[in-house]
Amino acid sequence: MRIAGIQKLTLLDFPEHIAATIFTPGCNFRCPFCHNSELVLDTNEVEYDVDEVLDFLKSRLGKLNGVAITGGEPLMQPGIKEFIKKLKDIGYEVKLDTNGS
């Protein structure tokens, strides 16, 4: 599981939740209207350590109640299922944005 970015607080990305947003790199589509186009080609040089992100989210439990995962296309990430399970085990609700392919 690769993480290209994190927004530590969002009131928009997961309706009716106070959440964090996780951004994953890479996408199999090239939509001209993409709002995260810098993530599509997976050329982002910044990458976050998964364990550090999980530690941060553990520390915010009770202040945040959800995690939105977006990209790119998150379902291209090996280990996404396990990552989501870890988030749920911590106590978060998860919203997954996908292109459905």
Side-chain angles (χ1 to χ4, degrees):
M1 171 73 192
R2 295 175 53 223
I3 298 173
I6 182 170
Q7 184 175 341
K8 295 180 178 183
L9 174 66
T10 180
L11 303 175
L12 300 174
D13 293 327
F14 195 162
E16 300 181 20
H17 290 76
I18 300 170
T21 304
I22 304 291
F23 297 89
T24 63
C27 186
N28 55 333
F29 286 4
R30 300 296 180 263
C31 304
F33 51 81
C34 181
H35 64 280
N36 290 332
S37 59
E38 67 279 2
L39 297 173
V40 170
L41 297 177
D42 195 4
T43 58
N44 190 3
E45 295 180 14
V46 177
E47 219 170 289
Y48 292 78
D49 181 79
V50 172
D51 291 328
E52 289 179 15
V53 170
L54 290 170
D55 287 343
F56 165 75
L57 292 170
K58 286 175 189 172
S59 76
R60 300 298 291 172
L61 190 61
K63 295 178 176 87
L64 302 175
N65 61 2
V67 176
I69 304 173
T70 191
E73 173 48 55
L75 294 180
M76 291 177 57
Q77 291 296 318
I80 186 71
K81 183 178 176 182
E82 295 79 9
F83 182 72
I84 291 171
K85 180 162 178 6
K86 288 178 184 179
L87 293 174
K88 289 183 160 286
D89 288 346
I90 292 170
Y92 283 106
E93 292 187 48
V94 177
K95 175 183 172 267
L96 178 69
D97 294 334
T98 178
N99 63 33
S101 65

